[in-house]
Amino acid sequence: MHYDGLGTPTNAEKGVEYMKKILDSPCPKTGHLKFAAAYNLGRAYYEGRGVKRSEEEAERMWLFAADNGNPKASVKAQSTLGLYYSTKEPKELEKAFYWHSEACGNGNLESQGALGLMYFYGQGICQNTEAALHCLREAAERGNVYAQGILVEYYYKMKFFTKCVTFSKRIADYDEVLDVPMIVKVTDCLPEFIHRGMALASFYYARCLQLGLGILKDEATAKHYYSKACHLNPALADKLHALLICQRI
């Protein structure tokens, strides 16, 4: 609560102090709190808030909190390890796949979408489009906006334009201020990936509007959704625009 400023002014140092006390406590009554404390202490080390930044210590804390995939441990730590191993340099994609699998098996929605992507592109596992679509569709149905965005891209590439339009408009019309905080609360997915899913949907909806694919051509509205994609995730929008120029979209 001190670390995140929940019900009290933010004080990262005090939050770290309490987390360490819980981890070091011999009292059996604090046992159920140790996994949560270790996960949050890992966040502190990774973010460098209230303690000197150290990816090594962050990883060590998360591994303790994840407890080899124990469903009664920190499932959030299991999912975070999946994300950590897939983004660190050098990447350790086999480890990322393992931890996303453990977290997904324990109900984590973010990891279910991540597994879909890893199956799609053969990252840390053999490519398997059927398994990818199964994970992505289930994650999308449960509210994972990034999985929804990836499916929009898939429908466009497969030329399912009517389905792409219907699906993408709903996602593209999420309100960044009103809807995203609610989606975060309900799904426990990271805002960064929610924005990424919205950006994908906005871009492909704009492309369909621009070319009249599955919908009446409307270049003015297309510009609005292209702009929204750029606002939500400039790097992703630049990448998609480059593919468009190369006529790969």
Side-chain angles (χ1 to χ4, degrees):
M1 292 177 74
H2 283 293
Y3 187 82
D4 289 316
L6 301 174
T8 185
T10 301
N11 187 327
E13 289 78 10
K14 184 174 283 189
V16 166
E17 179 186 342
Y18 280 120
M19 292 174 207
K20 288 182 175 179
K21 283 182 178 179
I22 291 169
L23 278 176
D24 295 337
S25 174
C27 178
K29 291 183 179 180
T30 64
H32 67 291
L33 298 174
K34 289 184 183 290
F35 293 130
Y39 164 68
N40 285 300
L41 191 54
R43 284 176 55 210
Y45 277 116
Y46 190 79
E47 296 167 1
R49 291 180 56 215
V51 69
K52 184 179 178 180
R53 190 176 189 278
S54 170
E55 287 194 18
E56 292 78 12
E57 280 300 298
E59 181 183 9
R60 187 174 72 85
M61 287 292 105
W62 287 332
L63 285 169
F64 173 84
D67 195 32
N68 296 313
N70 178 1
K72 293 183 179 180
S74 173
V75 176
K76 192 74 173 175
Q78 296 162 13
S79 181
T80 298
L81 283 167
L83 179 61
Y84 171 69
Y85 287 126
S86 63
T87 55
K88 70 187 287 286
E89 291 296 339
K91 293 180 173 64
E92 297 184 67
L93 294 176
E94 290 79 9
K95 287 184 179 180
F97 182 84
Y98 168 79
W99 282 112
H100 278 311
S101 296
E102 293 298 306
C104 178
N106 291 327
N108 187 273
L109 180 54
E110 192 103 73
S111 283
Q112 187 173 31
L115 281 180
L117 275 175
M118 298 187 84
Y119 274 121
F120 231 150
Y121 297 110
Q123 297 176 335
I125 190 68
C126 292
Q127 188 175 18
N128 186 329
T129 302
E130 185 179 349
L133 291 173
H134 176 75
C135 286
L136 289 169
R137 283 170 176 152
E138 280 203 353
E141 287 173 5
R142 294 175 61 204
N144 185 318
V145 176
Y146 189 29
Q148 293 169 3
I150 294 296
L151 285 173
V152 164
E153 185 173 56
Y154 172 75
Y155 295 145
Y156 182 90
K157 289 180 177 179
M158 295 299 292
K159 302 187 187 303
F160 302 152
F161 296 124
T162 301
K163 194 168 189 176
C164 177
V165 166
T166 302
F167 203 35
S168 63
K169 186 180 189 308
R170 177 169 60 83
I171 304 158
D173 284 342
Y174 286 145
D175 186 277
E176 187 179 4
V177 176
L178 298 177
D179 294 328
V180 172
M182 181 184 68
I183 294 169
V184 170
K185 186 176 181 179
V186 171
T187 66
D188 202 28
C189 289
L190 294 169
E192 173 189 351
F193 290 102
I194 295 171
H195 288 154
R196 192 174 180 88
M198 290 169 61
L200 278 168
S202 297
F203 182 90
Y204 283 103
Y205 183 57
R207 186 64 172 160
C208 289
L209 284 165
Q210 182 186 12
L211 300 178
L213 301 172
I215 193 171
L216 289 175
K217 189 173 182 178
D218 187 340
E219 294 191 7
T221 305
K223 287 181 182 178
H224 165 74
Y225 284 99
Y226 276 134
S227 296
K228 186 169 185 178
C230 291
H231 169 72
L232 288 164
N233 193 313
L236 175 60
D238 283 347
K239 180 181 176 182
L240 292 169
H241 186 252
L243 292 173
L244 191 154
I245 290 172
C246 296
Q247 297 184 337
R248 293 175 60 188
I249 293 179

Coordinates of all heavy atoms in Angstrom, one line a residue, residues 17-19 23 25 28 42 58 65 75 85 109-110 122-123 143 146 164 171 175 211 227 239:
E17 N 10.7 -1.5 2.8 CA 11.0 -1.9 4.2 C 10.0 -2.9 4.7 O 10.4 -4.0 5.3 CB 11.0 -0.6 5.1 CG 11.3 -0.9 6.5 CD 11.2 0.3 7.4 OE1 11.2 1.4 6.9 OE2 11.1 0.1 8.7
Y18 N 8.7 -2.7 4.5 CA 7.7 -3.6 5.0 C 7.8 -4.9 4.2 O 7.6 -6.0 4.8 CB 6.3 -3.0 4.9 CG 6.0 -2.0 6.0 CD1 5.7 -0.7 5.7 CD2 5.9 -2.5 7.3 CE1 5.4 0.2 6.8 CE2 5.6 -1.6 8.4 CZ 5.4 -0.3 8.1 OH 5.1 0.6 9.1
M19 N 8.0 -4.9 2.9 CA 8.1 -6.1 2.1 C 9.2 -7.0 2.6 O 9.1 -8.2 2.8 CB 8.4 -5.7 0.6 CG 7.2 -5.1 -0.1 SD 7.8 -4.6 -1.8 CE 6.7 -3.2 -2.1
L23 N 9.2 -10.8 4.3 CA 10.0 -11.9 3.7 C 10.9 -12.5 4.8 O 11.1 -13.8 4.8 CB 10.8 -11.4 2.6 CG 10.1 -11.4 1.2 CD1 11.1 -10.8 0.2 CD2 9.7 -12.7 0.7
S25 N 10.3 -12.5 8.1 CA 9.6 -12.9 9.3 C 9.5 -14.4 9.4 O 9.1 -15.1 8.5 CB 8.2 -12.3 9.2 OG 7.5 -12.7 10.4
P28 N 4.7 -17.8 11.3 CA 3.9 -18.6 10.3 C 2.7 -17.9 9.8 O 2.2 -18.2 8.7 CB 3.5 -19.9 11.1 CG 3.6 -19.5 12.6 CD 4.7 -18.5 12.6
G42 N 10.3 -7.6 -6.1 CA 10.8 -7.7 -7.5 C 10.5 -6.5 -8.3 O 11.4 -6.0 -9.1
A58 N 15.6 -8.5 -9.0 CA 14.2 -8.6 -9.4 C 13.8 -10.0 -9.9 O 12.8 -10.6 -9.5 CB 13.9 -7.6 -10.6
A65 N 8.7 -15.9 -5.7 CA 7.3 -15.6 -5.7 C 6.5 -16.6 -6.6 O 5.4 -17.0 -6.3 CB 7.0 -14.2 -6.1
V75 N 0.8 -15.9 -9.1 CA 0.6 -16.1 -10.5 C 1.0 -14.9 -11.3 O 1.5 -15.0 -12.4 CB -0.9 -16.4 -10.8 CG1 -1.2 -16.6 -12.3 CG2 -1.3 -17.7 -10.0
Y85 N 11.5 -12.6 -19.5 CA 12.4 -13.4 -20.3 C 12.2 -13.2 -21.8 O 13.1 -13.4 -22.6 CB 12.2 -14.9 -20.0 CG 12.8 -15.3 -18.6 CD1 12.0 -15.9 -17.7 CD2 14.2 -15.0 -18.3 CE1 12.6 -16.3 -16.5 CE2 14.7 -15.4 -17.1 CZ 13.9 -16.0 -16.2 OH 14.4 -16.4 -14.9
L109 N -4.7 -14.1 -17.6 CA -5.2 -13.8 -18.9 C -4.2 -13.2 -19.8 O -4.1 -13.4 -21.0 CB -6.4 -12.8 -18.8 CG -7.1 -12.2 -20.0 CD1 -7.6 -13.4 -20.9 CD2 -8.2 -11.3 -19.6
E110 N -3.3 -12.4 -19.2 CA -2.2 -11.8 -20.0 C -1.3 -12.8 -20.6 O -1.0 -12.8 -21.8 CB -1.3 -10.9 -19.1 CG -0.3 -10.0 -19.9 CD -0.8 -8.6 -19.9 OE1 -0.8 -7.9 -18.9 OE2 -1.2 -8.1 -21.0
G122 N 6.3 -18.9 -33.5 CA 7.3 -19.9 -33.2 C 8.4 -19.4 -32.3 O 9.6 -19.7 -32.5
Q123 N 8.0 -18.7 -31.2 CA 9.0 -18.1 -30.3 C 9.0 -18.9 -29.0 O 8.0 -19.0 -28.3 CB 8.6 -16.7 -29.9 CG 8.6 -15.7 -31.1 CD 8.1 -14.3 -30.8 OE1 7.4 -14.1 -29.9 NE2 8.6 -13.4 -31.6
G143 N -11.5 -11.0 -22.6 CA -11.3 -9.5 -22.5 C -9.9 -9.1 -22.7 O -9.6 -7.9 -22.5
Y146 N -5.2 -7.0 -26.3 CA -4.0 -7.2 -27.2 C -4.3 -8.5 -28.0 O -4.1 -8.5 -29.3 CB -2.7 -7.4 -26.4 CG -1.5 -7.4 -27.3 CD1 -1.4 -6.8 -28.5 CD2 -0.4 -8.1 -26.8 CE1 -0.3 -6.8 -29.3 CE2 0.8 -8.2 -27.6 CZ 0.8 -7.5 -28.8 OH 2.0 -7.5 -29.6
C164 N -13.1 -8.6 -40.0 CA -12.1 -7.6 -39.5 C -12.7 -6.3 -39.1 O -12.4 -5.7 -38.1 CB -11.0 -7.4 -40.6 SG -9.7 -6.2 -40.2
I171 N -13.1 -2.5 -30.9 CA -11.9 -2.3 -30.2 C -11.3 -0.9 -30.3 O -10.9 -0.3 -29.4 CB -10.8 -3.4 -30.6 CG1 -11.4 -4.8 -30.4 CG2 -9.6 -3.2 -29.7 CD1 -10.7 -5.8 -31.2
D175 N -12.5 3.9 -25.3 CA -12.1 5.2 -24.9 C -10.8 5.1 -24.0 O -10.9 4.4 -23.0 CB -13.2 6.0 -24.1 CG -12.8 7.4 -23.8 OD1 -12.1 7.6 -22.8 OD2 -13.2 8.3 -24.6
L211 N -9.6 1.8 -48.1 CA -9.7 1.0 -49.3 C -11.1 0.5 -49.6 O -11.3 -0.1 -50.7 CB -8.7 -0.2 -49.3 CG -7.2 0.2 -49.1 CD1 -6.4 -1.1 -49.0 CD2 -6.7 1.0 -50.2
S227 N -4.8 8.3 -37.1 CA -4.3 9.2 -36.0 C -4.4 8.6 -34.6 O -3.5 8.8 -33.8 CB -5.0 10.6 -36.1 OG -4.8 11.2 -37.3
K239 N 5.8 1.2 -37.5 CA 6.1 -0.1 -38.1 C 5.1 -0.5 -39.1 O 5.4 -1.0 -40.2 CB 6.3 -1.1 -37.0 CG 6.6 -2.5 -37.4 CD 6.7 -3.5 -36.3 CE 7.0 -4.9 -36.7 NZ 7.0 -5.8 -35.6

